[in-house]
Amino acid sequence: MNEFERLRDALRDFSAERDWDQFHSPKNLVMALSVEVAELVEHFQWLTEEQSHHPSPEILSAIGEEVADVLLYLIRLSDRLAIDPITAADHKLSLNALKYPTDKARGNSKKYTEL
Amino acid sequence: MNEFERLRDALRDFSAERDWDQFHSPKNLVMALSVEVAELVEHFQWLTEEQSHHPSPEILSAIGEEVADVLLYLIRLSDRLAIDPITAADHKLSLNALKYPTDKARGNSKKYTEL
Amino acid sequence: MNEFERLRDALRDFSAERDWDQFHSPKNLVMALSVEVAELVEHFQWLTEEQSHHPSPEILSAIGEEVADVLLYLIRLSDRLAIDPITAADHKLSLNALKYPTDKARGNSKKYTEL
Amino acid sequence: MNEFERLRDALRDFSAERDWDQFHSPKNLVMALSVEVAELVEHFQWLTEEQSHHPSPEILSAIGEEVADVLLYLIRLSDRLAIDPITAADHKLSLNALKYPTDKARGNSKKYTEL
């Protein structure tokens, strides 16, 4: 069992113990995911790019909590739709390698709208 | 090396080969993350909750790609800030267990604003 | 002077009096706008569609505040880019009328990805 | 009738003519609003703050369309909840003036998390 599967199972248990599956439709979960991402954005909105590399220890800790929330909702959403995020990510990485060949993409932000 | 570390390293190489580190400030990455989440939201916005449990095979495949994008940007953002998402998620799960004791949270959506 | 222009000027004065123009780059403002929209989303994430039509008076009041924040940031962003939101909205309405002819779009959510 | 009321009525007619009221629950509309804001964010994600002040004419035109989409969904959402955005914005401006007195807020981004 990998780390994703372990977290997925922990979230399943967490929800089942609280009878929360009834609230966890994919539609609701994707809304909750977007709210958590915005809480992450909020920490960066008034920082310069340079400042964003060096948040204070308190802010970095708060950012870590939001990263966790985003990851947990993403795993929960994936589970409810029977999507394996690792397989999906590996597939996407191979698509991106084709989409952005190194010689054309080098140093060019216009060449990509994806990672 | 776990799955997260493997994906983290693949993204490091991908960016380095294309000279993209210059664009990958945490501020920029968190914006890109929020855009990918919205592309995920877009698939669900006009569905009922019931429909959202059963997307068509084509839509499910597209959802899988967006899940991958969200995960990849989240891992990349975490790497640039030296955050370990797994450790952060485990920490958050233990906080959530304290925040939502099973006897009080059972079947009550008002009791939680977190997963 | 219409209502938009009045609010635009009030925001200009508000920012100038606090020396905040330095923080109000379009990039920063669009991040702040996305955060305010997520605060709006947060009020609806666990509601059913039916419930979302009838928020409690307290929630409706909180929703009104978030609507205001979204509108104010949208006007401020537009001002910094010399965009007139009314002209833009009228233009978009005429494009939408062409894109979604009434006979084809009737009762069909698949026909639109726009309003 | 002010500009908001005129746009509100145009959207009412647009939706009624296409039998789209059934899809326009506040929950769905706030999701659509968040997607439109992300399309706005997308134009700025890889720009520096300085660059974000000077988008190319083509990008500025595309930004104007997204501003319009955000405004139209915001007006439509407000209408479905019987919220008057102008009244809400005026109220919020007066709250912000109390929250951020000019002498304390001057030149200080930490003093505000709101506009």
Side-chain angles (χ1 to χ4, degrees):
Chain A
M1 182 181 292
N2 67 34
E3 297 295 309
F4 269 92
E5 292 163 338
R6 185 176 59 76
L7 289 167
R8 178 201 64 197
D9 288 356
L11 290 170
R12 279 186 195 172
D13 292 347
F14 197 91
S15 178
E17 287 164 8
R18 284 157 188 79
D19 197 18
W20 282 356
D21 284 8
Q22 60 185 313
F23 305 116
H24 287 189
S25 66
K27 185 181 179 93
N28 286 2
L29 288 169
V30 81
M31 293 178 80
L33 176 66
S34 76
V35 170
E36 295 302 334
V37 168
E39 293 180 6
L40 198 45
V41 173
E42 194 171 7
H43 289 296
F44 295 100
Q45 62 191 348
W46 307 118
L47 301 184
T48 64
E49 282 187 68
E50 176 56 30
Q51 289 169 336
S52 80
H53 282 285
H54 310 289
S56 69
E58 300 79 42
I59 299 292
L60 186 60
S61 169
I63 290 169
E65 278 207 40
E66 302 303 345
V67 164
D69 284 331
V70 173
L71 180 59
L72 293 171
Y73 273 118
L74 187 67
I75 290 174
R76 183 69 178 148
L77 172 68
S78 299
D79 187 26
R80 299 291 272 176
L81 290 166
I83 289 169
D84 175 8
I86 298 283
T87 304
D90 282 330
H91 178 62
K92 196 65 200 282
L93 278 177
S94 60
L95 292 178
N96 284 347
L98 292 172
K99 190 171 176 183
Y100 306 106
T102 53
D103 56 332
K104 292 195 178 170
R106 182 169 295 277
N108 189 345
S109 76
K110 288 186 185 169
K111 283 290 181 197
Y112 71 112
T113 55
E114 307 290 305
L115 192 59
Chain B
M1 182 180 291
N2 67 34
E3 296 296 310
F4 269 91
E5 292 163 338
R6 184 177 61 76
L7 289 168
R8 178 201 63 197
D9 289 356
L11 291 170
R12 278 186 195 173
D13 292 346
F14 197 91
S15 178
E17 286 163 8
R18 285 156 185 79
D19 196 18
W20 283 355
D21 284 8
Q22 59 185 311
F23 304 118
H24 286 189
S25 66
K27 186 180 178 92
N28 287 3
L29 288 168
V30 81
M31 292 177 82
L33 177 66
S34 75
V35 170
E36 295 301 335
V37 168
E39 293 181 5
L40 200 44
V41 173
E42 195 172 7
H43 290 295
F44 295 99
Q45 61 190 348
W46 306 117
L47 301 184
T48 64
E49 282 188 68
E50 176 55 30
Q51 290 170 334
S52 79
H53 282 284
H54 310 290
S56 71
E58 300 80 42
I59 299 293
L60 186 60
S61 170
I63 289 169
E65 279 207 40
E66 301 304 344
V67 165
D69 284 331
V70 173
L71 180 58
L72 293 171
Y73 273 119
L74 188 67
I75 290 175
R76 182 71 179 147
L77 171 69
S78 299
D79 187 26
R80 298 292 273 176
L81 291 167
I83 289 169
D84 175 7
I86 297 283
T87 304
D90 282 330
H91 178 61
K92 196 63 200 281
L93 278 177
S94 61
L95 292 178
N96 284 348
L98 292 172
K99 191 172 176 182
Y100 306 106
T102 53
D103 56 332
K104 292 195 177 172
R106 182 169 295 276
N108 188 346
S109 76
K110 289 186 184 170
K111 284 291 181 197
Y112 70 113
T113 55
E114 308 289 305
L115 191 59
Chain C
M1 183 180 291
N2 67 34
E3 295 297 309
F4 269 91
E5 291 163 338
R6 183 177 62 74
L7 290 168
R8 179 200 64 197
D9 289 356
L11 290 170
R12 279 185 194 174
D13 292 347
F14 197 91
S15 178
E17 287 163 8
R18 284 155 187 80
D19 197 17
W20 281 356
D21 283 7
Q22 59 184 312
F23 305 116
H24 286 188
S25 66
K27 185 181 178 91
N28 286 2
L29 289 168
V30 80
M31 292 177 81
L33 176 65
S34 75
V35 171
E36 295 302 335
V37 168
E39 293 181 4
L40 199 45
V41 173
E42 195 171 7
H43 290 296
F44 295 100
Q45 61 190 349
W46 306 118
L47 301 184
T48 64
E49 282 187 67
E50 176 55 31
Q51 289 169 336
S52 80
H53 282 286
H54 310 289
S56 70
E58 300 79 44
I59 299 293
L60 186 60
S61 170
I63 289 169
E65 279 206 40
E66 303 302 345
V67 164
D69 283 331
V70 173
L71 179 60
L72 292 171
Y73 272 119
L74 187 67
I75 291 174
R76 183 70 179 147
L77 171 69
S78 299
D79 187 25
R80 299 291 273 176
L81 290 167
I83 289 169
D84 175 7
I86 297 283
T87 304
D90 282 330
H91 178 62
K92 197 65 199 282
L93 279 177
S94 60
L95 292 178
N96 284 348
L98 292 171
K99 191 172 176 183
Y100 305 107
T102 53
D103 56 333
K104 292 195 179 171
R106 182 169 295 275
N108 189 345
S109 76
K110 289 187 185 169
K111 286 290 181 195
Y112 70 113
T113 55
E114 309 289 305
L115 191 60
Chain D
M1 184 182 290
N2 67 33
E3 296 296 309
F4 270 91
E5 293 164 337
R6 184 177 60 76
L7 289 168
R8 179 201 64 197
D9 289 357
L11 290 170
R12 278 185 194 173
D13 292 346
F14 197 92
S15 177
E17 286 163 8
R18 285 156 186 79
D19 197 18
W20 281 356
D21 283 7
Q22 60 184 311
F23 304 116
H24 287 189
S25 67
K27 185 180 179 92
N28 287 2
L29 289 169
V30 80
M31 293 178 81
L33 176 66
S34 76
V35 170
E36 295 302 334
V37 168
E39 293 180 5
L40 199 45
V41 173
E42 195 172 7
H43 290 295
F44 295 100
Q45 62 189 349
W46 306 118
L47 301 185
T48 64
E49 281 188 68
E50 176 56 30
Q51 289 169 336
S52 80
H53 282 285
H54 310 290
S56 70
E58 300 79 42
I59 299 293
L60 186 60
S61 171
I63 290 169
E65 278 206 42
E66 302 303 345
V67 164
D69 283 331
V70 173
L71 180 58
L72 292 171
Y73 272 119
L74 187 67
I75 291 174
R76 183 69 178 147
L77 172 68
S78 299
D79 187 25
R80 298 291 272 176
L81 290 167
I83 289 169
D84 175 8
I86 298 282
T87 304
D90 282 331
H91 179 61
K92 196 64 199 279
L93 278 176
S94 60
L95 292 178
N96 284 348
L98 291 172
K99 190 172 177 183
Y100 306 107
T102 54
D103 56 332
K104 293 196 178 171
R106 181 169 295 277
N108 189 346
S109 75
K110 289 186 186 169
K111 284 292 183 195
Y112 69 113
T113 55
E114 307 289 307
L115 192 62

